[in-house]
Amino acid sequence: EDQVTQSPEALRLQEGESSSLNCSYTVSGLRGLFWYRQDPGKGPEFLFTLYSAGEEKEKERLKATLTKKESFLHITAPKPEDSATYLCAVNTNAGKSTFGDGTTLTVKP
Amino acid sequence: EAGVAQSPRYKIIEKRQSVAFWCNPISGHATLYWYQQILGQGPKLLIQFQNNGVVDDSQLPKDRFSAERLKGVDSTLKIQPAKLEDSAVYLCASSHPRDRENTGELFFGEGSRLTVL
């Protein structure tokens, strides 16, 4: 059974304090790993797709990396507007997407 | 490009009553998904359609949940009868297949929040 585990469950940072979120996965046949951002009362919004170990993607203060067992979402010098829940999802060769339970990030000014 | 539309945004019902949610995906997206998101958890797939055929409904509680996608466009998710544990946000998403121009990511609607009393 495909499994996705995200840690920590919650993360509180001061503005400008860099950190990383972790997504570890166990799947049979990874087709892609996705990161989404979810604001309260909204649906998840796509951030990145990673396909193979060693791949990296960047967008503003966010950088996602992928190994054979886990992915990291690095947040550099975060701002309060980066506060949200970050969800990781794996898509398998069977075309199935499984989500983790997310990390809720709070950035204090 | 218009996003995924869902309605209603909020619904409060008593247990054993029925409820229906509607979703209109992004134009041209062949794949449509219904997810259940319980507070504090990630989205859990209920059913996946490819055009108007079911690809995966292995986690749909078929004794009370049903879904259809007529003409391969709009979709409706129904719960009858509802239980207390069905209180959640029901998210609809659509996607293009992964190809040179698309990564296969999901585009979500804003969700329908159900409270069962």
Side-chain angles (χ1 to χ4, degrees):
Chain A
E1 185 180 324
D2 302 332
Q3 285 197 326
V4 179
T5 303
Q6 293 189 244
S7 62
E9 287 185 15
L11 182 62
R12 295 171 66 92
L13 300 174
Q14 286 297 126
E15 185 171 1
E17 181 186 0
S18 302
S19 189
S20 295
L21 283 54
N22 177 264
C23 171
S24 62
Y25 61 90
T26 306
V27 297
S28 50
L30 181 71
R31 195 168 158 189
L33 185 140
F34 297 80
W35 282 97
Y36 292 85
R37 170 188 169 129
Q38 186 172 27
D39 291 299
K42 305 282 188 182
E45 182 182 342
F46 171 72
L47 291 173
F48 303 108
T49 310
L50 301 165
Y51 295 113
S52 55
E55 190 175 357
E56 298 182 354
K57 293 271 178 75
E58 284 189 69
K59 181 180 178 179
E60 296 181 357
R61 295 176 292 281
L62 301 177
K63 179 179 174 181
T65 62
L66 181 66
T67 71
K68 288 187 177 179
K69 293 184 178 181
E70 58 191 350
S71 176
F72 291 94
L73 184 65
H74 307 276
I75 303 177
T76 302
K79 298 182 177 182
E81 54 261 42
D82 294 322
S83 297
T85 296
Y86 292 86
L87 294 164
C88 167
V90 294
N91 185 254
T92 66
N93 290 332
K96 207 170 172 179
S97 286
T98 302
F99 280 80
D101 286 336
T103 293
T104 299
L105 173 66
T106 304
V107 182
K108 294 288 191 182
Chain B
E1 174 178 76
V4 175
Q6 289 190 245
S7 67
R9 286 294 317 276
Y10 305 93
K11 189 75 177 179
I12 301 174
I13 61 173
E14 306 234 334
K15 60 183 179 184
R16 292 189 288 273
Q17 287 186 324
S18 63
V19 63
F21 303 112
W22 173 83
C23 172
N24 183 245
I26 292 173
S27 177
H29 281 193
T31 310
L32 185 148
Y33 313 76
W34 282 102
Y35 282 87
Q36 180 192 57
Q37 188 174 26
I38 293 171
L39 187 65
Q41 298 182 18
K44 179 184 119 181
L45 180 68
L46 293 175
I47 189 166
Q48 177 180 343
F49 293 94
Q50 181 76 19
N51 295 308
N52 58 351
V54 175
V55 172
D56 183 355
D57 64 356
S58 57
Q59 297 194 76
L60 187 73
K62 297 180 186 64
D63 57 335
R64 299 183 300 105
F65 286 65
S66 64
E68 59 182 7
R69 190 181 185 194
L70 300 175
K71 301 180 183 177
V73 182
D74 293 16
S75 178
T76 303
L77 176 71
K78 294 179 181 177
I79 307 174
Q80 181 180 16
K83 291 186 174 181
L84 296 177
E85 59 260 36
D86 298 331
S87 293
V89 175
Y90 291 87
L91 293 164
C92 179
S94 66
S95 70
H96 265 303
R98 176 184 157 187
D99 57 26
R100 284 173 60 184
E101 294 182 355
N102 300 285
T103 66
E105 75 269 23
L106 304 182
F107 294 82
F108 284 87
E110 295 205 318
S112 295
R113 181 178 296 277
L114 174 66
T115 303
V116 182
L117 303 176

mmCIF file of all heavy atoms in Angstrom, chain B residues 72-98:
data_model
loop_
_atom_site.group_PDB
_atom_site.id
_atom_site.type_symbol
_atom_site.label_atom_id
_atom_site.label_comp_id
_atom_site.label_asym_id
_atom_site.label_seq_id
_atom_site.Cartn_x
_atom_site.Cartn_y
_atom_site.Cartn_z
ATOM 1 N N GLY B 72 -19.229 12.936 -19.493
ATOM 2 C CA GLY B 72 -17.801 13.186 -19.333
ATOM 3 C C GLY B 72 -17.438 14.599 -18.937
ATOM 4 O O GLY B 72 -16.291 15.015 -19.115
ATOM 5 N N VAL B 73 -18.403 15.358 -18.380
ATOM 6 C CA VAL B 73 -18.093 16.745 -17.986
ATOM 7 C C VAL B 73 -18.408 16.915 -16.502
ATOM 8 O O VAL B 73 -17.589 16.576 -15.653
ATOM 9 C CB VAL B 73 -18.862 17.764 -18.856
ATOM 10 C CG1 VAL B 73 -18.496 19.188 -18.457
ATOM 11 C CG2 VAL B 73 -18.563 17.539 -20.330
ATOM 12 N N ASP B 74 -19.634 17.408 -16.176
ATOM 13 C CA ASP B 74 -20.018 17.642 -14.781
ATOM 14 C C ASP B 74 -20.086 16.335 -14.017
ATOM 15 O O ASP B 74 -20.290 15.256 -14.588
ATOM 16 C CB ASP B 74 -21.413 18.275 -14.722
ATOM 17 C CG ASP B 74 -21.441 19.672 -15.291
ATOM 18 O OD1 ASP B 74 -20.476 20.017 -15.994
ATOM 19 O OD2 ASP B 74 -22.415 20.379 -15.041
ATOM 20 N N SER B 75 -19.967 16.470 -12.687
ATOM 21 C CA SER B 75 -20.097 15.299 -11.836
ATOM 22 C C SER B 75 -20.905 15.643 -10.600
ATOM 23 O O SER B 75 -20.917 16.791 -10.145
ATOM 24 C CB SER B 75 -18.710 14.797 -11.428
ATOM 25 O OG SER B 75 -18.807 13.680 -10.560
ATOM 26 N N THR B 76 -21.578 14.630 -10.065
ATOM 27 C CA THR B 76 -22.332 14.764 -8.822
ATOM 28 C C THR B 76 -21.922 13.665 -7.862
ATOM 29 O O THR B 76 -21.795 12.510 -8.251
ATOM 30 C CB THR B 76 -23.848 14.659 -9.092
ATOM 31 O OG1 THR B 76 -24.227 15.650 -10.038
ATOM 32 C CG2 THR B 76 -24.636 14.866 -7.817
ATOM 33 N N LEU B 77 -21.702 14.041 -6.610
ATOM 34 C CA LEU B 77 -21.414 13.107 -5.537
ATOM 35 C C LEU B 77 -22.577 13.153 -4.554
ATOM 36 O O LEU B 77 -22.973 14.231 -4.117
ATOM 37 C CB LEU B 77 -20.113 13.499 -4.814
ATOM 38 C CG LEU B 77 -19.725 12.670 -3.586
ATOM 39 C CD1 LEU B 77 -19.267 11.278 -4.018
ATOM 40 C CD2 LEU B 77 -18.615 13.360 -2.794
ATOM 41 N N LYS B 78 -23.142 11.985 -4.242
ATOM 42 C CA LYS B 78 -24.287 11.928 -3.345
ATOM 43 C C LYS B 78 -23.967 11.079 -2.122
ATOM 44 O O LYS B 78 -23.268 10.058 -2.225
ATOM 45 C CB LYS B 78 -25.500 11.338 -4.062
ATOM 46 C CG LYS B 78 -26.017 12.201 -5.189
ATOM 47 C CD LYS B 78 -27.217 11.559 -5.881
ATOM 48 C CE LYS B 78 -27.706 12.426 -7.037
ATOM 49 N NZ LYS B 78 -28.824 11.792 -7.786
ATOM 50 N N ILE B 79 -24.509 11.488 -0.997
ATOM 51 C CA ILE B 79 -24.378 10.717 0.245
ATOM 52 C C ILE B 79 -25.793 10.477 0.775
ATOM 53 O O ILE B 79 -26.571 11.414 0.965
ATOM 54 C CB ILE B 79 -23.566 11.473 1.313
ATOM 55 C CG1 ILE B 79 -22.212 11.934 0.758
ATOM 56 C CG2 ILE B 79 -23.348 10.578 2.535
ATOM 57 C CD1 ILE B 79 -21.412 12.809 1.725
ATOM 58 N N GLN B 80 -26.120 9.183 0.963
ATOM 59 C CA GLN B 80 -27.451 8.845 1.460
ATOM 60 C C GLN B 80 -27.439 7.463 2.085
ATOM 61 O O GLN B 80 -27.180 6.479 1.363
ATOM 62 C CB GLN B 80 -28.472 8.887 0.316
ATOM 63 C CG GLN B 80 -29.887 8.582 0.739
ATOM 64 C CD GLN B 80 -30.872 8.643 -0.415
ATOM 65 O OE1 GLN B 80 -30.486 8.630 -1.586
ATOM 66 N NE2 GLN B 80 -32.141 8.702 -0.101
ATOM 67 N N PRO B 81 -27.709 7.310 3.378
ATOM 68 C CA PRO B 81 -27.924 8.360 4.366
ATOM 69 C C PRO B 81 -26.602 8.830 4.970
ATOM 70 O O PRO B 81 -25.645 8.061 5.067
ATOM 71 C CB PRO B 81 -28.756 7.637 5.424
ATOM 72 C CG PRO B 81 -28.223 6.232 5.383
ATOM 73 C CD PRO B 81 -27.852 5.972 3.945
ATOM 74 N N ALA B 82 -26.550 10.084 5.396
ATOM 75 C CA ALA B 82 -25.312 10.628 5.952
ATOM 76 C C ALA B 82 -25.113 10.169 7.398
ATOM 77 O O ALA B 82 -26.075 9.945 8.142
ATOM 78 C CB ALA B 82 -25.342 12.150 5.896
ATOM 79 N N LYS B 83 -23.836 10.017 7.755
ATOM 80 C CA LYS B 83 -23.454 9.693 9.121
ATOM 81 C C LYS B 83 -22.635 10.844 9.685
ATOM 82 O O LYS B 83 -22.097 11.671 8.934
ATOM 83 C CB LYS B 83 -22.623 8.418 9.159
ATOM 84 C CG LYS B 83 -23.382 7.155 8.817
ATOM 85 C CD LYS B 83 -22.495 5.936 9.033
ATOM 86 C CE LYS B 83 -23.267 4.657 8.831
ATOM 87 N NZ LYS B 83 -22.427 3.456 9.072
ATOM 88 N N LEU B 84 -22.512 10.869 11.015
ATOM 89 C CA LEU B 84 -21.736 11.941 11.662
ATOM 90 C C LEU B 84 -20.310 12.005 11.114
ATOM 91 O O LEU B 84 -19.755 13.094 10.900
ATOM 92 C CB LEU B 84 -21.701 11.732 13.176
ATOM 93 C CG LEU B 84 -23.031 11.804 13.910
ATOM 94 C CD1 LEU B 84 -22.842 11.499 15.394
ATOM 95 C CD2 LEU B 84 -23.697 13.153 13.729
ATOM 96 N N GLU B 85 -19.722 10.826 10.859
ATOM 97 C CA GLU B 85 -18.327 10.774 10.411
ATOM 98 C C GLU B 85 -18.125 11.246 8.973
ATOM 99 O O GLU B 85 -16.989 11.323 8.496
ATOM 100 C CB GLU B 85 -17.746 9.356 10.568
ATOM 101 C CG GLU B 85 -18.477 8.289 9.800
ATOM 102 C CD GLU B 85 -19.424 7.500 10.688
ATOM 103 O OE1 GLU B 85 -20.032 8.102 11.602
ATOM 104 O OE2 GLU B 85 -19.545 6.280 10.474
ATOM 105 N N ASP B 86 -19.221 11.563 8.285
ATOM 106 C CA ASP B 86 -19.107 12.104 6.928
ATOM 107 C C ASP B 86 -18.832 13.606 6.933
ATOM 108 O O ASP B 86 -18.614 14.209 5.872
ATOM 109 C CB ASP B 86 -20.388 11.843 6.131
ATOM 110 C CG ASP B 86 -20.676 10.363 5.955
ATOM 111 O OD1 ASP B 86 -19.701 9.572 5.935
ATOM 112 O OD2 ASP B 86 -21.858 10.001 5.848
ATOM 113 N N SER B 87 -18.844 14.222 8.107
ATOM 114 C CA SER B 87 -18.517 15.653 8.207
ATOM 115 C C SER B 87 -17.094 15.868 7.721
ATOM 116 O O SER B 87 -16.141 15.298 8.278
ATOM 117 C CB SER B 87 -18.655 16.130 9.654
ATOM 118 O OG SER B 87 -19.986 16.092 10.079
ATOM 119 N N ALA B 88 -16.961 16.671 6.672
ATOM 120 C CA ALA B 88 -15.668 16.857 6.009
ATOM 121 C C ALA B 88 -15.834 17.890 4.913
ATOM 122 O O ALA B 88 -16.946 18.379 4.656
ATOM 123 C CB ALA B 88 -15.186 15.538 5.399
ATOM 124 N N VAL B 89 -14.717 18.202 4.263
ATOM 125 C CA VAL B 89 -14.762 19.000 3.038
ATOM 126 C C VAL B 89 -14.633 18.043 1.864
ATOM 127 O O VAL B 89 -13.745 17.180 1.854
ATOM 128 C CB VAL B 89 -13.628 20.038 3.003
ATOM 129 C CG1 VAL B 89 -13.630 20.776 1.656
ATOM 130 C CG2 VAL B 89 -13.779 21.034 4.148
ATOM 131 N N TYR B 90 -15.517 18.182 0.895
ATOM 132 C CA TYR B 90 -15.481 17.340 -0.298
ATOM 133 C C TYR B 90 -14.903 18.170 -1.440
ATOM 134 O O TYR B 90 -15.464 19.175 -1.856
ATOM 135 C CB TYR B 90 -16.875 16.785 -0.600
ATOM 136 C CG TYR B 90 -17.251 15.791 0.470
ATOM 137 C CD1 TYR B 90 -17.858 16.219 1.649
ATOM 138 C CD2 TYR B 90 -16.932 14.444 0.339
ATOM 139 C CE1 TYR B 90 -18.140 15.328 2.675
ATOM 140 C CE2 TYR B 90 -17.207 13.542 1.358
ATOM 141 C CZ TYR B 90 -17.807 13.994 2.520
ATOM 142 O OH TYR B 90 -18.065 13.098 3.534
ATOM 143 N N LEU B 91 -13.732 17.743 -1.873
ATOM 144 C CA LEU B 91 -12.977 18.470 -2.886
ATOM 145 C C LEU B 91 -13.110 17.777 -4.233
ATOM 146 O O LEU B 91 -12.960 16.554 -4.329
ATOM 147 C CB LEU B 91 -11.489 18.513 -2.519
ATOM 148 C CG LEU B 91 -11.103 19.319 -1.286
ATOM 149 C CD1 LEU B 91 -9.700 18.946 -0.830
ATOM 150 C CD2 LEU B 91 -11.174 20.809 -1.582
ATOM 151 N N CYS B 92 -13.369 18.559 -5.243
ATOM 152 C CA CYS B 92 -13.356 18.057 -6.612
ATOM 153 C C CYS B 92 -12.089 18.576 -7.283
ATOM 154 O O CYS B 92 -11.661 19.714 -7.046
ATOM 155 C CB CYS B 92 -14.591 18.547 -7.361
ATOM 156 S SG CYS B 92 -14.677 18.010 -9.078
ATOM 157 N N ALA B 93 -11.473 17.750 -8.097
ATOM 158 C CA ALA B 93 -10.265 18.156 -8.823
ATOM 159 C C ALA B 93 -10.335 17.597 -10.246
ATOM 160 O O ALA B 93 -11.041 16.618 -10.508
ATOM 161 C CB ALA B 93 -9.008 17.643 -8.124
ATOM 162 N N SER B 94 -9.603 18.241 -11.141
ATOM 163 C CA SER B 94 -9.506 17.720 -12.500
ATOM 164 C C SER B 94 -8.068 17.844 -12.975
ATOM 165 O O SER B 94 -7.271 18.597 -12.393
ATOM 166 C CB SER B 94 -10.466 18.439 -13.453
ATOM 167 O OG SER B 94 -10.119 19.802 -13.626
ATOM 168 N N SER B 95 -7.727 17.115 -14.008
ATOM 169 C CA SER B 95 -6.356 17.157 -14.506
ATOM 170 C C SER B 95 -6.297 16.774 -15.978
ATOM 171 O O SER B 95 -7.161 16.091 -16.511
ATOM 172 C CB SER B 95 -5.455 16.205 -13.704
ATOM 173 O OG SER B 95 -5.764 14.861 -13.982
ATOM 174 N N HIS B 96 -5.204 17.256 -16.602
ATOM 175 C CA HIS B 96 -4.788 16.785 -17.911
ATOM 176 C C HIS B 96 -3.915 15.561 -17.683
ATOM 177 O O HIS B 96 -3.258 15.457 -16.651
ATOM 178 C CB HIS B 96 -3.901 17.828 -18.588
ATOM 179 C CG HIS B 96 -4.638 18.740 -19.506
ATOM 180 N ND1 HIS B 96 -5.380 18.290 -20.561
ATOM 181 C CD2 HIS B 96 -4.701 20.082 -19.535
ATOM 182 C CE1 HIS B 96 -5.888 19.337 -21.190
ATOM 183 N NE2 HIS B 96 -5.489 20.436 -20.597
ATOM 184 N N PRO B 97 -3.836 14.652 -18.637
ATOM 185 C CA PRO B 97 -2.818 13.611 -18.524
ATOM 186 C C PRO B 97 -1.434 14.246 -18.581
ATOM 187 O O PRO B 97 -1.259 15.311 -19.170
ATOM 188 C CB PRO B 97 -3.043 12.740 -19.770
ATOM 189 C CG PRO B 97 -4.388 13.119 -20.269
ATOM 190 C CD PRO B 97 -4.649 14.516 -19.833
ATOM 191 N N ARG B 98 -0.449 13.603 -17.963
ATOM 192 C CA ARG B 98 0.908 14.128 -18.029
ATOM 193 C C ARG B 98 1.433 13.970 -19.457
ATOM 194 O O ARG B 98 1.349 12.910 -20.041
ATOM 195 C CB ARG B 98 1.798 13.357 -17.057
ATOM 196 C CG ARG B 98 3.263 13.769 -17.114
ATOM 197 C CD ARG B 98 4.093 12.901 -16.202
ATOM 198 N NE ARG B 98 5.488 12.894 -16.603
ATOM 199 C CZ ARG B 98 6.410 12.108 -16.068
ATOM 200 N NH1 ARG B 98 6.073 11.264 -15.105
ATOM 201 N NH2 ARG B 98 7.653 12.168 -16.478
#
